């Protein structure tokens, strides 16, 4: 039965040619009532109003048949509008006048007027039976079918929709019976004409159709309201015609109206016997085929089953199911089957008949042999019957289970269903949603649809059998398994589990059972190697395979099982596997079996895996898992090979070597997909070795910072706008299958099936054209599938010359592949992974100790690519820039500095030139280039010396980039303390250094004045600080970002003065005065009013130059005490400018001690007048006479005032502001001077140096260390000098210098402006009894801003190991290769013994400390709220001999910044020099006799003026002196009037 949504007719339904026309039938029925003219006109009322007569006459006149149809229409309209004013007599007259409008011969237009008049008359309030009868006769006058809607509508009005049929009941029923069939035929004909275009558009709605709908509705209502009015013959006619319509029509509306007739008859229980079958069939068909009528048809069918016809209906339902054939309409059978299923579950409730199970069983025994459709419906019935316990008991307990399964299996075989074989490609496209090899249209679609239905019912039947499994005996289970085997390709997962479980519980797949290996082989072939089987079942079989080896006893069984596994792998290679879980499980089996294999089988296994991985047509399932692209199967196989390496590392060197070779091949094989290569690379990049060359694997790749550089971390992707809303996965773990795994269907999973080539091309094309999920990210899952061994291997070593190649692996092979990837610009995922992880691996140079040629080649490749810019550009959709790639390459090049001993001079110079070129090539790289140059100063200082001029010129060109300020200044600060490096600098080149400092001073002043940067500058600085922060954490709070922006200019400000000072002191004495004038002129700055200002730091810098421009003798100490022979000693103190001058003079001898206290230091000197002996003729002076009388102690020959005047003034007039201020000799003055002297003349810092022993990770045991390793002690010796604490005359930074409570010694370092005291816990007393937590040591370490951690624990150091609110920076120093425990103990014992004797020669260190333990990594970790500011923000590699100087310089810079940072809340950090300057100014403000205190502000002037006698001088009091209004700057340049240097030859 074909449904059409638009209600059009079926294609071929022939019209009955011999049936009478509708007009003929209606005419014969009407003549039996006589003509309307035979009825006498009704009587009129005697009294009728004149107006009514006029209206009647007017209407009759208008309706006169001689008038035109248009005029007569106005008459009908007149009557219709005034119907309530006409009496029945008047109406009769009107009907008579219009009687020709009701005749059969009238035109359709005339008939329309007649029906309009009839319908209006029917609503007259006084209409009676006789008038209704007369009108009925008018209505049923024959009319063309195209106008049948008019009389039907009139009949509905006259009968009130079938409720009132008197007095014309019988004629009405007869009329309805004879009208239905011809009206439907007319409707069909009208539709044909409409389709043929022969009907005008105005007739598009089909009056025939409207009439048919109205007629069917009227018939249904009459049957419902007057069931007895229709006799049996008439019901036969009506039901016959109704069924005919249902079979022919495709209009859902027509079906609905016909169903209303049939259901009305059913409700009256009057379905004729003749039509019971046809009614059941059409109701069954509609109940499953027409969505809008399903419920109506189903309810009608249920009512029929509740009626007296229930037995017949049930028989018909079963009979319909059994009598079907391949070509018969399927909806009948489907509906009957559905109703039978309903009756089965209803089981006699709701007055419905109860199914007799034996009867149904007998019927089912016949049905399967009929057709595929019968099979399908029988299977549906059986499937639902199995859900009824009464029927299952009937089957299982009466030995009916076997026969019914046998019949089904035989029917399947007879009909060639073929479900025990792999489905054909076309069927696979139906069941597995796999694109077919043959277009679906080329197959027999009807047959395929039927076959699909049968398969679906078989699958459902299997699902119904599963709950019965526990109640079956073994024989029934075996029969069921036979049935399951017939339909294996469509079997539910639970059914497959039952089959597998039965085989396992019966022990048929384990040794000891007959043909166990054959059973296991069959299970493997049927399930493991069949991609149509359920994943869970396939996994279960593979899980059983893992259990088999433990049951193998004989060597024969082991051989048979290995043969089975290798055969399984070979067959797997030939299959197009689509299940990741199966591949995972198979790999698990392989890994679990490999450990027990001998070397030959092991290599065979590896080769099998490699051959699977490299098979040309291996299907690869592309999926997106957790936001990352994964090519699951190749990835899984590659991961399994990685697991074999992890497994063999501690068990067999030969196996490890074999797996290593395969892994390198995987990494280098370009034809493999990225996901196959990445697992191998994850392992290879994590390979490390200790000093004994023993191989181990690190879990932490230590590459987070570089990963952020190329947007491979969550924070970096958020900033760059790529890879949004992704989860984070770095690798794929082997996942266990879930408990509910469906049959494979690539359409139900994200992804697609593609060959290796198409996978690669699609992946690359996708990567280039649109954003794709990355295949590795940080943070994510661990990069390794299993945890590696916790200790270095005792069996596997890095290859060394002369070693057994079977027990070693050649890391040079891997390095060759790395170089190849960098040179050939591999896939971006692979290339980026190497970029990020290579530096970390290179930090273990012992690993590559025998790959020096390859290291040299790697350096050459990277340097060449950086200089020429010829390296891979990242895909545009990643958001990564080429400068980011250069950043990673530059990191690698800087890491290679650790291998500098292997590089020739030209190669070392090339590294420096490459780094220098990178400073201006990419803005992103400039920072790390400057940091790299800082490392070069310690690693390859001679190359820096040869390029230093170019370096300084380059830095002077990029000083406008403010974010590089601290890096440039830190480089210059470190360089200034390496005189051997800058020894060749010329005067003009040195001035470049000062110019850089001055430029950054100007920038810092601007920043300090603004305080708050612009929004754009804020964002830029924030990103830059994030780049620097590295592993220590990135500041995330906005308040912290504001602090960084606020405090960095302060740090740059302090650092710039610091650099300027140390570089001035680094000059030769003869060169210093040459720079005084230029520096002095540039120290001044402008205030808000445009006037020159000399800030405090500039003043103390000028003071420093004033003290050191002509002096290089170093610091001074107080002179010896006066003797008794010198006489009485007098002391006097003056304020002279911005200095405090104290003169101590012995009155007798004139011996004078001078003390000049300035901001930058204190000078102690001795002065004595060389008095000539008196000539013989010289008389005694009065003082001599007094001395002879009272003794020498009463002698007074000289006073301090004389000495002060001799040294500071002449008789030239001295302006009051420039006069020295003599301080009173009272307690207040002495106290002020004593306080001043307690201010150090250098900036002092304290830095902790902590030794972390092997395996230590907690605070208490670390601090409890009382000694360090030999290497630690050598590091301390390079860090500073060993000093005694007791009675120390320097600032010990909190260490006790009285009772040795903090140890007898420590290490310290000092130059002319800086002093560092190191807090070393190993040199402090350890009392485990009274101080088990080492609180005394923590008292110092916990208050140090900066700590140096010498980490020999073999574990990563965590920043929070020493909880403290003051620890900002930890400088981590780690051996590049851990020393084996036995070697470590032996070396330390030897070192301890030999420390008792003085060192002899240079070989001692090599004896105590192995030669190869010479390289260390250094890295700065900062508190999460603190930015990193050192060149070791990422780890760097240096030999131990170069490490102390770099560590000390980093610690010094970090200490300077920490002081700035720590004082950010309460104000700026004030240096000791500035404190001393402030103290001097306070004294001047207190004792000035000019009435004016010293001012820091003074007007600016250009040039200088020479004054002559009586010239008028106008100046301003400033800085303890008097400044000219037009010459202040030149007045500050003391070198101008101090004069040139004396001749040096």
């Amino acid at each position: 039965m074909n449904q059409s949504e638009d209600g059009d007719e079926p294609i071929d339904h022939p019209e009955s040619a011999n049936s009478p026309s509708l007009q003929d039938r209606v005419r014969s029925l009407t003549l039996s009532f006589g003509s309307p003219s035979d009825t006498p006109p009704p009587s009129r009322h005697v009294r009728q109003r004149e107006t009514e007569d006029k209206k009647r006459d007017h209407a009759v006149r208008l309706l006169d048949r001689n008038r035109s149809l248009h005029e007569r229409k106005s008459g009908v309209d007149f009557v219709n509008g005034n119907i309530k004013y006409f009496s029945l007599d008047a109406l009769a007259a009107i009907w008579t006048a219009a009687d020709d409008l009701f005749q059969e011969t009238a035109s359709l237009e005339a008939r329309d007027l007649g029906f309009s008049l009839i319908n209006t008359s029917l609503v007259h309030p006084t209409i009676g039976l006789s008038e209704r009868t007369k009108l009925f006769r008018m209505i049923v006058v024959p009319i063309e079918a195209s106008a049948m809607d008019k009389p039907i509508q009139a009949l509905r009005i006259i009968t009130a929709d079938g409720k009132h049929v008197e007095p014309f009941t019988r004629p009405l029923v007869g009329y309805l019976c004879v009208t239905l069939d011809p009206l439907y035929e007319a409707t069909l004909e009208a539709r044909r004409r409409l389709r043929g275009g022969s009907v005008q558009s105005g007739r598009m709605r089909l009056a025939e159709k409207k009439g048919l709908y109205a007629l069917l509705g009227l018939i249904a209502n009459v049957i419902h309201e007057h069931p007895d009015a229709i006799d049996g013959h008439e019901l036969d006619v009506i039901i016959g015609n109704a069924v005919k319509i249902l079979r022919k029509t495709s209009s859902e509306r027509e079906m609905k109206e016909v169903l209303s007739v049939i259901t009305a008859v059913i409700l009256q229980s009057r379905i004729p016997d003749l039509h019971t079958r046809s009614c059941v069939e059409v109701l069954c068909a509609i109940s499953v085929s027409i969505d809008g009528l399903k419920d109506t048809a189903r309810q009608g069918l249920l009512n029929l089953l509740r009626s007296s016809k229930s037995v017949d209906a049930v028989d018909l339902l079963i009979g319909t199911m059994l009598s079907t054939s391949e070509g018969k309409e399927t909806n009948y059978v489907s509906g009957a089957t559905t109703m039978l299923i309903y009756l089965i579950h209803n089981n006699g409730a709701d007055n419905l008949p109860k199914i007799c199970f034996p009867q149904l069983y007998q019927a089912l025994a016949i049905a399967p042999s009929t057709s595929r459709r019968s099979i399908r419906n029988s299977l549906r019935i059986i499937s639902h019957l199995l859900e009824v316990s009464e029927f299952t008991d009937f089957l299982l307990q009466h030995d009916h289970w076997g026969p019914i399964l046998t019949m089904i299996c035989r029917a399947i075989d007879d009909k060639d269903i073929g479900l025990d074989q792999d489905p054909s490609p076309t069927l696979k496209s139906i069941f597995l949603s796999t694109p077919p090899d043959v277009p679906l249209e080329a197959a027999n679609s009807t047959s395929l649809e039927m076959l699909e239905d049968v398969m679906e019912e078989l699958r459902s039947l299997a699902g119904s059998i599963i709950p019965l499994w526990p109640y079956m005996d073994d024989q029934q289970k075996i029969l069921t398994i036979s049935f399951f085997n017939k339909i294996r390709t469509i079997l539910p997962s639970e059914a497959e589990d039952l089959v597998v479980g039965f085989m396992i519980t019966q022990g048929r797949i384990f040794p000891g059972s007959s043909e166990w290996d054959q059973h296991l082989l069959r299970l493997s072939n049927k399930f493991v190697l069949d991609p149509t089987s359920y994943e869970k079942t396939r996994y279960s079989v593979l899980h059983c395979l893992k259990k088999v080896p433990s049951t193998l006893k004989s060597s024969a069984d082991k051989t048979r099982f290995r043969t089975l596994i290798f055969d399984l792998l070979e067959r797997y290679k030939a299959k197009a596997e689509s299940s990741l879980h199966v591949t995972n499980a198979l790999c698990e089996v392989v890994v679990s079996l490999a450990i027990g294999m001998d070397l030959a089988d092991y290599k065979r296994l590896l080769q099998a895996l490699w051959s699977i991985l490299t098979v040309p047509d291996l299907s690869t399932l592309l999926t997106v898992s957790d936001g990352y692209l994964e090519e699951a199967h190749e990835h899984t196989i590659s991961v399994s090979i990685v697991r074999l390496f992890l497994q063999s590392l501690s068990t067999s060197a030969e196996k490890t070597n074999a797996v290593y070779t395969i892994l390198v091949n995987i990494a280098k094989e370009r034809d493999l997909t990225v996901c196959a290569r990445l697992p191998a690379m994850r392992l290879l990049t994590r390979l490390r070795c200790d000093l004994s060359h023993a191989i181990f694997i690190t879990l932490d790749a230590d590459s987070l910072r570089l990963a952020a550089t190329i947007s491979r971390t969550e924070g970096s992707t958020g900033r760059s706008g790529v890879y949004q809303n992704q989860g984070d996965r770095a690798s794929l773990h082997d996942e266990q299958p879930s408990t509910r795994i469906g049959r494979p269907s690539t359409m139900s999973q994200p992804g697609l099936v593609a060959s290796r080539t198409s996978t690669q091309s699609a992946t690359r094309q996708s990567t280039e054209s649109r954003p794709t999920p990355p295949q590795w990210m940080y943070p994510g899952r661990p990069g390794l599938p299993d945890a590696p061994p916790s200790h270095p291997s005792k069996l596997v070593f890095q290859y060394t010359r002369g070693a057994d190649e079977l027990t070693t692996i050649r890391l040079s092979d891997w390095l060759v592949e790395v170089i190849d990837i960098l040179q050939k610009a591999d896939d971006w995922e692979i290339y980026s992974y190497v970029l990020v992880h290579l530096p970390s691996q290179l930090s273990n140079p012992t690993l590559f100790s025998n790959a020096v040629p390859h290291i040299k080649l790697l350096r050459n490749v990277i340097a060449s690519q950086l200089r020429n810019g010829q390296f891979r550009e990242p895909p545009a959709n990643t958001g990564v820039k080429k400068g980011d790639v250069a950043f990673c390459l530059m990191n690698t090049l800087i890491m290679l500095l650790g291998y500098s001993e292997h590089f020739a001079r030209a190669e070392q110079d090339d590294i420096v030139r490459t780094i220098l070129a990178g400073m201006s090539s990419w803005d992103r790289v400039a920072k790390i280039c400057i940091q790299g140059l800082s490392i070069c100063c310690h690693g390859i200082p001679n190359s820096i010396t040869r390029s230093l001029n170019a370096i300084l010129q380059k830095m002077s060109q990029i000083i406008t980039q403010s974010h590089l300020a601290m890096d440039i200044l830190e480089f210059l600060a470190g360089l200034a303390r390496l005189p051997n490096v800058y020894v060749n600098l010329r005067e003009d080149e040195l001035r470049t250094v000062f110019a850089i400092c001055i430029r950054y001073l100007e920038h810092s002043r601007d920043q300090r004045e603004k305080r708050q940067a612009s929004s754009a500058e804020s964002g830029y600085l924030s990103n830059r600080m994030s780049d620097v922060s590295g592993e220590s954490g990135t500041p995330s709070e906005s308040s912290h970002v504001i602090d960084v922006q606020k405090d960095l200019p302060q740090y740059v400000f302090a650092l710039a003065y610091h650099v300027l000072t140390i570089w001035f002191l680094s000059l030769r004495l003869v060169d210093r005065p040459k720079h005084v004038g230029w520096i002095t002129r540039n120290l001044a700055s402008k205030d808000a009013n445009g006037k020159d200002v000399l800030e405090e730091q500039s003043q103390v810098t000028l003071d420093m130059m004033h003290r050191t421009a002509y002096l290089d003798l170093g610091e001074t100490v107080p002179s010896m005490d006066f003797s008794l022979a010198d006489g009485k000693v007098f002391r006097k103190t003056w304020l002279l400018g911005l200095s405090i001058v104290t003169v101590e003079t012995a009155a007798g001898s004139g011996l004078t001690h001078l003390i000049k206290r300035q901001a930058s230091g204190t000078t102690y000197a001795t002065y004595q007048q060389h008095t000539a002996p008196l000539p013989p003729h010289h008389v005694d002076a009065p003082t001599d006479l007094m001395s002879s009388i009272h003794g020498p102690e009463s002698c007074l020959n000289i006073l301090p005032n004389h000495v002060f005047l001799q040294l500071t003034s002449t008789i030239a007039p001295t302006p009051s502001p420039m006069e020295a201020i003599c301080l009173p000799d009272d307690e207040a003055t002495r106290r002020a001077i004593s306080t001043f002297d307690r201010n150090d003349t250098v900036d002092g810092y304290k830095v902790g140096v902590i030794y972390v022993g092997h395996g230590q990770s907690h605070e208490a045991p670390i601090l409890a260390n009382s000694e360090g390793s030999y290497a630690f002690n050598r590091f301390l010796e390079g860090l500073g000098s060993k000093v005694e604490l007791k009675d120390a005359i320097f600032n010990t930074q909190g260490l006790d210098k009285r009772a040795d409570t903090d140890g007898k010694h420590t290490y310290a370092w000092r130059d002319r402006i800086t002093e560092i005291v190191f807090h070393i816990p190993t040199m402090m007393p350890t009392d485990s009894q009274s101080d088990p937590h080492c609180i005394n040591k923590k008292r110092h370490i916990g208050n140090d801003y900066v700590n140096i951690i010498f980490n020999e624990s073999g574990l990563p150091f965590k920043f929070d190991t020493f909880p403290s609110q003051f620890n900002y920076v930890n400088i981590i120093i780690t051996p590049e290769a851990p020393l084996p425990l036995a070697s470590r103990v032996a070396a330390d014992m030897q070192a301890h013994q030999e420390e008792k004797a003085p060192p002899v020669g240079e070989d001692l260190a090599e004896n105590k400390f192995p030669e190869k333990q010479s390289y260390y990594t250094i890295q700065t970790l900062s508190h999460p709220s603190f930015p990193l500011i050192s060149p070791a923000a990422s780890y760097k590699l240096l030999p131990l001999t170069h490490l102390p100087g770099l560590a000390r310089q980093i610690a010094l810079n970090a200490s300077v910044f920490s002081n700035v940072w720590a004082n950010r809340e309460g104000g700026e950090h004030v240096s000791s020099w500035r404190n001393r300057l402030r103290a001097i100014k306070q004294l001047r403000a207190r004792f000035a006799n000019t009435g004016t205190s010293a001012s820091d502000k003074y007007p600016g002037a250009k040039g200088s003026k020479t004054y002559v006698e009586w010239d008028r001088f106008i100046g301003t009091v400033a800085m303890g002196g008097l400044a000219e209004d037009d010459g202040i700057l030149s007045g500050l340049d003391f070198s101008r009037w101090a004069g040139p240097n004396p001749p040096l030859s």
Side-chain angles (χ1 to χ4, degrees), residues 1209-1242:
S1209 68
T1210 68
I1211 65 170
T1214 301
S1216 296
M1218 298 183 64
E1219 294 175 355
I1221 302 173
C1222 184
L1223 299 179
D1225 187 14
D1226 56 14
E1227 182 61 27
T1229 301
R1230 288 191 291 272
R1231 186 168 56 252
I1233 293 176
S1234 176
T1235 301
F1236 180 89
D1237 288 339
R1238 285 197 293 272
N1239 282 306
D1240 291 334
T1241 58
V1242 295

Side-chain angles (χ1 to χ4, degrees), residues 29 33 165 167-175 228-231 234:
L29 181 65
F33 287 91
V165 296
F168 38 77
T169 302
R170 296 302 306 157
L172 174 63
V173 171
Y175 180 83
D228 297 333
I230 304 177
D231 58 26
E234 292 168 335

Side-chain angles (χ1 to χ4, degrees), residues 1259 1338 1340-1347 1359-1360 1362-1369 1423-1426 1458 1461-1462 1464:
E1259 179 182 71
K1338 178 65 182 291
H1340 297 290
I1341 297 301
N1343 287 292
D1344 293 339
Y1345 292 144
V1346 181
N1347 287 319
F1359 186 87
D1360 57 357
F1362 304 103
S1364 171
Q1365 61 178 332
F1366 297 108
N1367 289 159
Y1368 292 149
V1369 179
H1423 188 276
S1425 65
F1426 191 90
S1458 296
W1461 185 266
R1464 66 189 187 280

Side-chain angles (χ1 to χ4, degrees), residues 932-1054:
L933 291 174
S934 297
I935 305 300
C936 291
C937 288
H938 298 269
I940 47 176
N942 292 334
S943 295
I944 290 290
T945 299
R946 289 187 283 271
S947 299
L948 189 54
N949 182 36
I951 292 172
L952 294 177
Q953 289 297 324
K954 182 69 67 176
M955 288 184 175
S956 67
Q957 296 169 5
I958 62 175
I959 57 176
T960 55
Q961 302 180 37
S962 59
H963 66 281
L964 302 177
M966 62 182 181
D967 301 288
I968 292 177
L969 291 173
E970 286 179 350
F971 168 79
L972 294 175
L975 179 65
R977 292 185 169 91
L978 299 172
N980 291 334
V981 177
Y982 65 81
V983 64
N984 296 328
L985 281 184
R986 300 188 304 272
E987 179 180 353
D988 57 330
E989 295 168 350
L990 285 168
R991 183 163 295 180
T992 301
V993 176
F994 297 133
I996 292 173
C997 296
I998 295 298
R999 174 64 184 86
Y1000 283 130
L1001 284 177
E1002 296 172 352
H1003 173 73
S1004 299
R1005 292 185 187 116
D1006 294 341
Q1007 292 297 311
R1008 186 179 56 188
E1009 292 171 1
K1010 294 176 181 178
R1011 285 296 181 188
Q1012 293 185 353
S1014 63
S1015 58
E1017 191 174 11
S1018 172
Y1020 182 76
L1021 183 55
S1022 175
N1023 286 339
R1024 288 294 170 182
M1025 292 309 303
S1026 298
D1027 293 334
V1028 175
S1029 295
E1031 289 84 350
S1032 65
T1034 302
S1036 57
E1037 298 180 3
S1038 59
S1039 60
H1040 166 65
V1041 175
I1042 294 175
D1043 286 339
V1044 171
Q1045 296 181 63
K1046 173 183 176 182
D1047 295 323
L1048 276 179
Q1050 294 184 28
Y1051 173 59
V1052 172
F1053 177 77

